[in-house]
């Protein structure tokens, strides 16, 4: 009886690990906007509120926002109509 209980426990642990891996793969392949919608739905129910806020901040960064340096990217400067630009050199 003890051996059977150990086997059942091992199978339950394996099932949890496989399920967690499946969720991770699904999450990693979801587009960023769809992830945000899912996090917003969970945050509306009081779950993962901070994660939703952090993810929304990541979406607001320029570029893809997936790298660690996303917060340090230079912001785009607005065009100054008073300056002339010739071959990439401001005059």
């Amino acid at each position: 009886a003890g051996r059977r209980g150990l086997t059942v426990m091992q199978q339950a642990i394996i099932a949890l690990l496989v399920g967690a891996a499946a969720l991770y793969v699904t999450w990693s392949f979801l587009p960023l906007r769809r992830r945000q919608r899912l996090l917003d739905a969970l945050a509306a129910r009081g779950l993962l509120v901070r994660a939703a806020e952090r993810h929304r901040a990541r979406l607001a960064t320029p570029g893809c926002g997936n790298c660690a340096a996303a917060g340090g990217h230079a912001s785009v400067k607005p065009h100054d109509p008073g300056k002339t630009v010739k071959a990439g050199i401001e005059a």
Side-chain angles (χ1 to χ4, degrees):
R3 192 168 237 184
R4 181 164 168 76
L6 182 62
T7 302
V8 171
M9 188 171 65
Q10 287 175 344
Q11 289 176 348
I13 291 171
I14 290 170
L16 286 172
L17 290 173
V18 169
L23 287 173
Y24 174 76
V25 168
T26 302
W27 179 260
S28 65
F29 281 115
L30 278 177
L32 289 176
R33 300 262 181 221
R34 193 161 297 158
R35 286 184 206 176
Q36 187 61 51
R37 278 191 282 170
L38 179 62
L39 285 171
D40 286 341
L42 291 171
R45 290 167 178 77
L47 303 170
L48 300 174
V49 175
R50 281 192 225 150
E53 292 169 356
R54 284 192 311 261
H55 197 269
R56 185 166 300 285
R58 181 183 298 163
L59 284 177
T61 59
C64 66
N66 280 331
C67 64
H73 291 306
S75 61
V76 177
K77 294 179 183 175
H79 175 68
D80 183 3
K83 290 185 178 180
T84 57
V85 178
K86 189 172 186 177
I89 302 171
E90 291 185 23

